[in-house]
Amino acid sequence: MAKKRPQTKATRPQLTDGEIPVVGAREPCPCGSGRRYKACHGRAAAQAATELVHRPFEGLPGECDWVALRELVPAATAELTLKDGLPEGVPSVTLATVLPMAWPALRRDDGSVLLGLQNDTASGDISRDLADTLLRALQAQPGTPVKGRRAPADGPRLQDLLDPKAPFEPVVHPGFEFWVPDPENATPDVTASLERANAAAIPTVKLQGVDAAYWCQTPEKNHLRWVMPHPEEKLLDALARLHAAGRSHLGEGTRLVGSFRAHGLTVPVWDLPSGVTADDIEKPAAEFAERLAAALATDAPLTADERRARGGLTNRQVTLS
């Protein structure tokens, strides 16, 4: 019997992870491992797409206001400045808290772009999803909305697209009329969406004397919700020092009731009497900012009363993201 010739396996080209194309989950992985894509390089790609970025707006001008517009403010807009300038035919790019029909973005008839912020995102990086939506909106036909999708794991983020030196200046609106430049020609669906959104919007005002503090009005009481950039542990220590000393309030009848986390930042919340307006709270908020700065500069260990105050604040803390 003739001997079998030893078989030689052809040498497969070596591909780096960045060169592995995306294929169907059940298809053989293009790397040549013999495994299905979902069990090989698809696993890393899926993890990269879903891994949560805790501070998605870090590095952007006005990070605290980005968080506020994402989580706290019903109706607001802010003009965005692109690093490379506006493409031809795009007169402006505007961030909006919400768009009609919950569209992720909209290319208006005049070519301008509205980018929606308060939308569900398909990956764990809001910044990457928003950047992907923005790029597609810049290329969309005028007069068309942009649908959501999962952004490529290696795609750019907002930090790659926006000018880091440009100011971020939110404008809070009493309603969503900014959706419709020409209300008489709006479609019935958009008109109905506008009416529903206006009916649900909580009156909100941005304070002028301090950064990223927003007054809002509810039927029973008013609130101040203030997004702060300080490291969480240091901020909670400072708030505890003030709370234990009876100096965490914003005037008579007001009370620091706790805080929540949102996108890596801490947001203290005060209850205000229903008669206290945004104008009324401007001066007390500025005075509190000075007291907080002094407390943040203190490195002394917390006293027993301050530890109890901190425990109370921590127990009332919730996480939104």
Side-chain angles (χ1 to χ4, degrees):
M1 179 180 290
K3 294 183 178 179
K4 292 183 178 180
R5 294 180 181 178
Q7 295 180 349
T8 58
K9 295 182 179 180
T11 303
R12 296 186 177 92
Q14 297 297 312
L15 301 178
T16 65
D17 288 349
E19 296 173 330
I20 305 297
V22 176
V23 298
R26 295 181 177 277
E27 294 182 38
C29 187
C31 75
S33 66
R35 292 181 291 173
R36 291 180 178 179
Y37 179 70
K38 70 175 183 179
C40 192
H41 280 84
R43 180 182 300 169
Q47 182 178 359
T50 57
E51 186 175 359
L52 180 64
V53 176
H54 290 281
R55 286 183 65 179
F57 307 116
E58 185 176 16
L60 291 174
E63 178 188 6
C64 294
D65 283 311
W66 277 89
V67 172
L69 266 57
R70 168 77 182 185
E71 299 295 342
L72 308 178
V73 183
T77 56
E79 296 301 312
L80 299 180
T81 303
L82 306 185
K83 279 184 179 179
D84 298 329
L86 294 170
E88 184 178 355
V90 180
S92 64
V93 175
T94 303
L95 182 75
T97 48
V98 181
L99 293 180
M101 314 299 292
W103 290 325
L106 171 65
R107 182 88 184 271
R108 281 178 158 166
D109 291 335
D110 66 355
S112 61
V113 168
L114 287 177
L115 177 66
L117 182 57
Q118 294 181 15
N119 289 304
D120 293 334
T121 54
S123 80
D125 187 351
I126 298 171
S127 179
R128 196 178 308 282
D129 286 337
L130 288 171
D132 178 70
T133 301
L134 174 56
L135 289 176
R136 290 187 291 124
L138 293 172
Q139 299 173 356
Q141 291 296 317
T144 59
V146 175
K147 296 181 180 180
R149 73 171 189 182
R150 173 171 287 180
D154 58 350
R157 308 177 73 235
L158 287 175
Q159 289 82 344
D160 301 317
L161 302 182
L162 302 183
D163 184 349
K165 297 180 180 179
F168 185 73
E169 299 175 343
V171 177
V172 179
H173 303 278
F176 295 89
E177 281 70 23
F178 64 86
W179 284 355
V180 188
D182 186 7
E184 294 182 359
N185 294 324
T187 66
D189 286 344
V190 170
T191 300
S193 183
L194 175 62
E195 292 175 354
R196 289 193 299 270
N198 281 341
I202 295 174
T204 302
V205 177
K206 185 180 189 299
L207 298 194
Q208 300 302 308
V210 294
D211 292 334
Y214 291 81
W215 170 95
C216 67
Q217 182 182 45
T218 61
E220 295 183 357
K221 62 184 70 174
N222 299 341
H223 304 280
L224 184 73
R225 299 179 289 189
W226 193 340
V227 188
M228 296 187 172
H230 317 292
E232 180 182 9
E233 296 301 315
K234 192 170 184 64
L235 176 58
L236 288 175
D237 281 352
L239 292 173
R241 295 181 197 278
L242 295 175
H243 202 60
R247 305 182 69 207
S248 64
H249 59 82
L250 297 174
E252 185 177 356
T254 69
R255 185 167 66 97
L256 175 65
V257 293
S259 65
F260 58 86
R261 301 184 190 93
H263 308 293
L265 299 182
T266 303
V267 187
V269 179
W270 285 262
D271 279 351
L272 313 174
S274 58
V276 174
T277 67
D279 287 340
D280 294 333
I281 214 68
E282 286 279 7
K283 182 178 178 182
E287 293 171 346
F288 177 83
E290 294 179 359
R291 298 197 298 272
L292 180 63
L296 286 167
T298 302
D299 293 326
L302 297 180
T303 66
D305 288 343
E306 291 167 349
R307 288 197 300 272
R308 282 191 291 270
R310 193 186 195 284
L313 292 172
T314 303
N315 290 337
R316 295 191 296 272
Q317 190 176 53
V318 297
T319 301
L320 297 185
S321 60

